[in-house]
Amino acid sequence: MNCPPKILVFDSGLGGLTVFSEITRLRPNLTYLYCADDAGFPYGSWNEEALIDRVITIISGLIATESPDMVVIACNTASTLVLSHLRRRWPMIPFIGTVPAIKPAAEQSRSHMISVLATPGTVKRDYTQKLITQFAGHCQVTLVGSGNLAGLAERAMHHGEINDAEIISEIMPCFVEINDKRTDSIVLACTHYPLLLKEFHRLAPWPVDWINPAPAIARRVDYLLMQHCQELLTQQSPNKRSAIFTSGKKPDLLLKNLLNDYGLSQASDVTTR
Ligand code: DGL
């Protein structure tokens, strides 16, 4: 085999690109397939059983047709639910998930008031509750389930539309002030949210640390590549990156340009496969 490792990066939409860009920054010369389940977006409001079935079905199809060496579930809403099922079903494939970065937020908060900004699905998960119990017992944790923010991020990416008032109303519940103490760290527990980070900084009522776990996930991918695919890493190949959209829709010009920025230049050719 003369190919470098193939990595599948999966999300419900474009949010996984925030993870994808960190991975490709560390490992630019691998083969990448980005899959957006835009036909199923948004995942935040899905019933748990149905979402497990959907993600397993899509990943199963991609494993059969694409044979990835590694799969990154670049979606908190899916990872907090499906990761254990995927690992059990395909024990030979490394699966890397994206789960709320509650541990680093709790460690670095000085006020011990942190917020977790996520989809309604992620805030309800037992997985999230366990992370809070395990790592943030000394903090006051405010869970904020946002129904619209992932959609606002998609709108910004597809149409370049930013609506300050809508963003403010989604992020405001994260900002809590009690006596002389206030929230100082906000976990971005949905991969879509770093796409709006510039707006969050601009619209926040006071400065906070916005915790984006994407760089740490990329380091984990890099570590596991060395563990599982070391021989393949010596293979050289031209940078091959493609994108699949489960809706089969062709990207419009703005999206096409944006995907080009991520090196996903073949996206328009492969969207309908
Ligand atoms: N990007 C996804 C996440 O990290 C979910 C967005 C959605 O489909 O609601 O949770």
Side-chain angles (χ1 to χ4, degrees):
M1 281 229 289
N2 290 322
C3 302
K6 183 189 258 190
I7 303 187
L8 166 62
V9 180
F10 175 81
D11 182 33
S12 59
L14 299 173
L17 290 175
T18 60
V19 177
F20 179 84
S21 62
E22 294 295 334
I23 300 171
T24 53
R25 198 205 310 261
L26 279 188
R27 290 280 178 187
N29 294 319
L30 309 184
T31 302
Y32 289 95
L33 179 64
Y34 184 85
C35 177
D37 181 17
D38 59 337
F41 181 86
Y43 276 1
S45 49
W46 275 66
N47 155 285
E48 295 198 347
E49 289 306 312
L51 187 56
I52 292 170
D53 280 356
R54 180 167 185 94
V55 174
I56 289 181
T57 304
I58 294 171
I59 297 293
S60 171
L62 290 169
I63 287 175
T65 55
E66 303 290 339
S67 310
D69 297 291
M70 184 175 281
V71 178
V72 181
I73 304 296
C75 173
N76 293 260
T77 314
S79 295
T80 48
L81 195 60
V82 189
L83 215 46
S84 55
H85 297 263
L86 295 170
R87 287 180 175 143
R88 220 174 301 131
R89 180 123 172 211
W90 290 280
M92 302 308 287
I93 301 178
F95 285 90
I96 294 94
T98 315
V99 300
I102 289 165
K103 183 172 186 248
E107 280 171 359
Q108 74 178 59
S109 169
R110 294 160 304 279
S111 67
H112 297 156
M113 287 176 67
I114 68 176
S115 293
V116 179
L117 183 59
T119 66
T122 300
V123 300
K124 276 194 305 212
R125 301 271 189 265
D126 292 345
Y127 197 112
T128 304
Q129 204 46 58
K130 280 187 194 142
L131 289 175
I132 293 171
T133 310
Q134 200 177 350
F135 299 114
H138 60 294
C139 290
Q140 177 176 322
V141 181
T142 303
L143 284 169
V144 178
S146 163
N148 299 322
L149 212 41
L152 295 179
E154 287 281 326
R155 222 159 75 194
M157 301 293 271
H158 282 270
H159 309 294
E161 269 175 46
I162 300 284
N163 181 317
D164 286 0
E166 284 179 313
I167 294 175
I168 289 171
S169 86
E170 299 297 312
I171 65 171
M172 272 319 275
C174 294
F175 291 85
V176 181
E177 191 160 23
I178 300 173
N179 301 325
D180 58 342
K181 274 176 48 171
R182 55 192 192 178
T183 308
D184 66 358
S185 304
I186 299 179
V187 180
L188 297 172
C190 168
T191 53
H192 278 74
Y193 301 166
L195 296 171
L196 295 172
L197 196 51
K198 210 163 61 156
E199 275 64 42
F200 294 168
H201 280 290
R202 183 169 60 79
L203 300 170
W206 60 79
V208 292
D209 291 327
W210 298 93
I211 317 280
N212 174 13
I217 294 159
R219 287 194 295 276
R220 178 80 186 147
V221 167
D222 191 51
Y223 172 80
L224 289 174
L225 278 168
M226 293 202 276
Q227 300 289 307
H228 293 268
C229 313
Q230 195 155 28
E231 273 176 33
L232 296 182
L233 287 173
T234 60
Q235 304 296 334
Q236 295 295 319
S237 114
N239 181 352
K240 247 187 97 200
R241 303 177 186 180
S242 53
I244 293 177
F245 292 84
T246 56
S247 69
K249 281 189 204 141
K250 292 245 178 230
D252 52 28
L253 188 63
L254 190 68
L255 182 58
K256 213 168 149 189
N257 289 340
L258 184 124
L259 293 171
N260 282 344
D261 291 344
Y262 289 88
L264 287 160
S265 53
Q266 299 167 3
S268 60
D269 300 330
V270 296
T271 46
T272 51
R273 69 179 160 158

